[in-house]
Amino acid sequence: MPDWLLVSGALYNSVWNELTGKPSGYGIRDVDLFYFDESDLSYEAEDGVIAAVAPVFAELPLPVEVRNQARVHLWYPLKFGQSCPHYTSSSDSVRHFASKTHAVGVRFDADGQLDLVAPFGLDDIFSFRITPNRVMDNRQTHEAKGARAKAYWPEITVYPW
């Protein structure tokens, strides 16, 4: 997949599990895998990619959600009732997450080295803080994800919007 990026919960939840002695996979609902492909913004094209990669992930214990970040601006207003920027890459989309803490992704670069995307750094993750990202009006998402995380990891501090 072009410009792919493994993002969000599977990453920061894994760190919190390791730091708190919880089992691997604890509190993780799914694995989010982004890609960016502007060549065809149709739902059918994205659905085709999802179907093509499904066998690769079939044996994993968690569902993998694959989404083309080039087309988020098409469905976001319908789902959330507000506009969304037309992202320029998978990394660009991460900058718009509701919480700075959640804005993290990883992939392998062309040389097989781990490429970390963390536009707001990693301090919040390692300090058990969920900090709002006010670049968009994502208050509801920030609060919901913060409450969910706090239920699993009581060590977390959720900063108000």
Side-chain angles (χ1 to χ4, degrees), residues 4 7 9 19 45 50 54 57 59 66 70 74-75 85-86 90 111 115 117 119 121 126 144 146 148-149 160:
W4 68 273
V7 299
L19 293 175
I50 292 168
F57 304 120
E59 300 298 318
V66 178
L74 299 174
W75 57 260
H86 185 165
S90 290
D111 296 325
D115 178 25
V117 174
F126 287 100
R148 181 182 181 281

Side-chain angles (χ1 to χ4, degrees), residues 7 35 49 66 86 94 129 159:
V7 299
Y35 71 99
V49 171
V66 178
H86 185 165
V94 170
R129 293 187 306 250
Y159 286 85

Side-chain angles (χ1 to χ4, degrees), residues 83-96:
S83 65
C84 169
H86 185 165
Y87 301 136
T88 58
S89 66
S90 290
S91 297
D92 183 35
S93 69
V94 170
R95 289 182 192 87
H96 294 84

Side-chain angles (χ1 to χ4, degrees), residues 68-79:
N68 184 1
Q69 297 305 288
R71 62 181 310 277
V72 172
H73 67 284
L74 299 174
W75 57 260
Y76 192 95
L78 299 171
K79 184 172 181 176

Side-chain angles (χ1 to χ4, degrees), residues 102-154:
H102 301 153
V104 61
V106 294
R107 63 178 150 221
F108 291 106
D109 67 17
D111 296 325
Q113 299 298 310
L114 193 63
D115 178 25
L116 174 67
V117 174
F120 305 106
L122 300 174
D123 287 348
D124 281 350
I125 294 172
F126 287 100
S127 298
F128 295 93
R129 293 187 306 250
I130 299 181
T131 307
N133 181 15
R134 296 181 183 95
V135 70
M136 291 174 52
D137 183 11
N138 283 326
R139 179 181 188 152
Q140 185 176 359
T141 301
H142 168 74
E143 290 174 351
K145 288 189 172 209
R148 181 182 181 281
K150 184 86 172 155
Y152 283 94
W153 299 275

Side-chain angles (χ1 to χ4, degrees), residues 6-27:
L6 176 68
V7 299
S8 212
L11 300 173
Y12 59 81
N13 291 164
S14 293
V15 171
W16 292 337
N17 287 340
E18 181 65 26
L19 293 175
T20 60
K22 293 189 171 49
S24 177
Y26 175 81

Side-chain angles (χ1 to χ4, degrees), residues 21-88:
K22 293 189 171 49
S24 177
Y26 175 81
I28 302 173
R29 288 192 294 198
D30 58 26
V31 176
D32 295 306
L33 183 59
F34 287 0
Y35 71 99
F36 189 87
D37 184 359
E38 290 185 294
S39 67
D40 185 345
L41 298 182
S42 70
Y43 169 83
E44 293 77 18
E46 182 180 60
D47 202 42
V49 171
I50 292 168
V53 300
V56 175
F57 304 120
E59 300 298 318
L60 292 180
L62 296 168
V64 176
E65 292 194 6
V66 178
R67 296 293 180 263
N68 184 1
Q69 297 305 288
R71 62 181 310 277
V72 172
H73 67 284
L74 299 174
W75 57 260
Y76 192 95
L78 299 171
K79 184 172 181 176
F80 294 105
Q82 64 180 340
S83 65
C84 169
H86 185 165
Y87 301 136
T88 58

